[in-house]
Amino acid sequence: MTMTSPTHPAPVKLAPAPENRAPKRPSRFRMGAGQQLKGGPFAYAALAVVGFGSLLPLYWTLVAASRTQDEVLASTPPFFPGGKLIENIQTAWEQANLGKAIVNSVIVSSSITLATLFFCTLAGYAFAKMRFRGRGWLMTAVIATLTIPPQLSVVPLFMMMSGLGWGGQLESVIFPTLVSAFGVFFMRQYLIEALPYELIEAAKIDGANNFRIVRSVVLPVARPAMMVLGMLTFVQAWNDFFWPYLALNQQNPTLQVALGQLSASYTPDQSIVMAGALISTLPLLVVFVLFGKRIVGGIMSGAVKG
């Protein structure tokens, strides 16, 4: 009996790597986890120009508010602040009753912002994650309201507020803007992507009802978008002039309506008007300084996922 030895396959030899291959150059625009794009001199120059252009109107308001009207209207306007800022602010404060106007603006803007965040978050969650009959048609109707000019609703809205006895009262400014179609659409679009169905199903398995789901699941997820929406709503309510000018009177104005009284004369004092405008801008700057980092973080959290 003849024994045959098993055959072994011949080893495969790998071709040596070429030694003349040039090293791969790292790309400065390649993004990885935790990496950021580095801007060059052109980017910093462009940002400096944009920043200067954004701060220039505020700086001119400060300069004009600290000068006299003759200096402001001179052929060569001043470029540096003067020494009449406190005096002009006191004059504007007394002429337009800015103390009461600031309190009214804080009440109106805060109430509108809190109500908008509450109702728009609930409505956005319902349109984004809940299934009910007519959801698509209702969302279409909400979006369609954005195409209607607000001037068309002034007459019926004024008649409605007068019928409720709210003429000249802050309620006539607050209640018509407790919820916004933009806020509903904004929160819906955010929650569609940011809130997975698995979190909702897990909460239901644990026995949570709808109220508990909204409080423990939806609100923590929606917090970044709520910060952005709250800032936009507060600024819009603070700067609103058209409807408060029609709904309120001179004895109970918001800040923008009171500023309109400063420039209502035939020859208004521009330095006094600028002093009032500076007062109306300072609260917005304070809000942005206090909450700016959270607002920017909310924008980036909504823009970058992963």
Side-chain angles (χ1 to χ4, degrees):
M1 186 173 181
T2 306
M3 301 293 295
T4 59
S5 59
T7 59
H8 297 277
V12 180
K13 294 183 179 181
L14 299 177
E19 298 179 357
N20 297 330
R21 181 180 298 175
K24 191 174 183 180
R25 299 177 60 183
S27 175
R28 63 181 300 183
F29 297 104
R30 181 177 300 167
M31 292 293 293
Q35 296 182 358
Q36 295 181 353
L37 290 176
K38 295 182 179 179
F42 178 77
Y44 286 106
L47 291 176
V49 172
V50 173
F52 177 78
S54 302
L55 294 177
L56 185 59
L58 180 61
Y59 178 74
W60 169 247
T61 302
L62 175 62
V63 172
S66 60
R67 298 280 184 167
T68 63
Q69 176 164 282
D70 294 337
E71 293 174 338
V72 173
L73 300 179
S75 58
T76 302
F79 295 97
F80 300 100
K84 296 182 67 64
L85 178 62
I86 303 300
E87 180 180 349
N88 290 339
I89 289 178
Q90 291 177 350
T91 303
W93 193 279
E94 295 172 359
Q95 288 184 1
N97 194 13
L98 293 184
K100 184 176 182 58
I102 290 176
V103 173
N104 289 343
S105 291
V106 170
I107 295 174
V108 170
S109 301
S110 302
S111 302
I112 293 175
T113 301
L114 294 177
T116 299
L117 291 178
F118 178 75
F119 291 117
C120 290
T121 302
L122 293 182
Y125 165 67
F127 282 116
K129 297 300 178 179
M130 299 182 69
R131 297 290 183 264
F132 53 90
R133 182 175 298 178
R135 183 182 67 167
W137 289 103
L138 288 176
M139 192 65 217
T140 302
V142 171
I143 298 175
T145 59
L146 295 174
T147 64
I148 301 176
Q151 291 79 4
L152 295 180
S153 61
V154 167
V155 174
L157 189 59
F158 187 86
M159 295 175 61
M160 185 183 302
M161 295 299 106
S162 299
L164 293 174
W166 289 346
Q169 303 298 322
L170 297 182
E171 291 85 347
S172 61
V173 180
I174 295 175
F175 277 86
T177 53
L178 289 180
V179 64
S180 65
F182 169 77
V184 174
F185 177 75
F186 179 80
M187 294 305 301
R188 172 187 177 271
Q189 295 301 112
Y190 181 85
L191 291 175
I192 285 178
E193 300 293 339
L195 181 61
Y197 280 103
E198 290 77 9
L199 288 179
I200 302 175
E201 296 298 330
K204 291 181 178 180
I205 293 175
D206 292 338
N209 54 17
N210 289 329
F211 177 77
R212 181 65 181 273
I213 292 174
V214 171
R215 187 185 65 174
S216 302
V217 178
V218 178
L219 292 183
V221 173
R223 187 177 293 116
M226 293 174 65
M227 294 293 296
V228 177
L229 180 60
M231 181 63 182
L232 296 176
T233 304
F234 185 87
V235 171
Q236 182 180 5
W238 184 271
N239 293 329
D240 191 15
F241 173 78
F242 179 68
W243 174 243
Y245 180 77
L246 298 176
L248 302 178
N249 50 43
Q250 297 182 357
Q251 289 72 33
N252 193 32
T254 58
L255 186 55
Q256 306 305 323
V257 177
L259 292 180
Q261 300 175 11
L262 291 176
S263 57
S265 61
Y266 184 74
T267 56
D269 192 333
Q270 297 299 326
S271 60
I272 304 300
V273 174
M274 289 298 179
L278 185 64
I279 294 174
S280 68
T281 306
L282 290 179
L284 297 180
L285 295 178
V286 172
V287 171
F288 186 79
V289 169
L290 294 178
F291 302 101
K293 183 178 295 185
R294 296 183 180 181
I295 293 169
V296 174
I299 296 174
M300 296 305 298
S301 177
V304 181
K305 299 182 299 179

